[in-house]
Amino acid sequence: MKTVLVADDDELLRELVVSILEGAGYRTLVAPDGAEAWDLLQSQGADMAVLDLNMPRLNGWELTQRIRSDPRWQAMPVLMLTIRALVEDQISGYERGADDYLTKPFDTTMLLARLRVLERRIPT
Ligand SMILES: [Mg+2]
């Protein structure tokens, strides 16, 4: 069973993502902001991450940069969630280390499809 780190400051969205992922057989580690997500990752580890872009304390980009700079997590697939739909933001997300990008509101089946693709990239 793969563990997915989920971080979003929007409680409803966070719970929605968690229920979708757990319904699909993933284990989740859940945090309301990037700093807490980073602490959870340090203490428990994860195989993939679904991160909101706009979060307090440490936003999705900052958290992703931290993940990428740590040898333990630098190859971990990261899917970024955002309400921003601008092309520049998506390009910036990829440049900052996100593996994929999904704009809210998203389709449940699309979220799972993207995660299945990212799952293939998990280092063994
Ligand atoms: Mg947010």
Side-chain angles (χ1 to χ4, degrees):
M1 186 183 282
K2 300 298 184 193
T3 300
V4 184
L5 176 66
V6 177
D8 197 314
D9 59 323
D10 180 331
E11 185 180 359
L12 286 178
L13 205 288
R14 198 168 65 233
E15 288 175 355
L16 173 66
V17 170
V18 166
S19 79
I20 291 169
L21 296 190
E22 293 189 347
Y26 293 103
R27 182 185 294 126
T28 57
L29 282 181
V30 190
D33 63 64
E36 198 170 315
W38 176 249
D39 290 343
L40 268 180
L41 181 61
Q42 299 311 300
S43 61
Q44 302 191 44
D47 300 297
M48 296 193 282
V50 176
L51 309 177
D52 180 30
L53 172 53
N54 294 300
M55 293 188 287
R57 298 176 72 198
L58 206 61
N59 69 31
W61 282 335
E62 291 162 341
L63 177 56
T64 300
Q65 286 178 313
R66 212 176 262 206
I67 287 169
R68 291 291 174 251
S69 64
D70 188 316
R72 289 170 296 173
W73 319 117
Q74 62 186 8
M76 181 172 76
V78 172
L79 173 65
M80 192 80 77
L81 297 178
T82 181
I83 52 171
R84 295 184 191 171
L86 296 176
V87 171
E88 305 88 78
D89 282 332
Q90 297 196 18
I91 292 169
S92 180
Y94 288 123
E95 285 175 348
R96 292 174 191 231
D99 295 288
D100 203 354
Y101 212 98
L102 204 52
T103 302
K104 304 180 201 176
F106 52 82
D107 184 80
T108 299
T109 51
M110 182 58 83
L111 173 63
L112 289 175
R114 300 281 186 91
L115 279 176
R116 297 291 184 216
V117 171
L118 291 182
E119 198 173 341
R120 295 184 211 137
R121 297 194 204 162
I122 295 174
T124 49

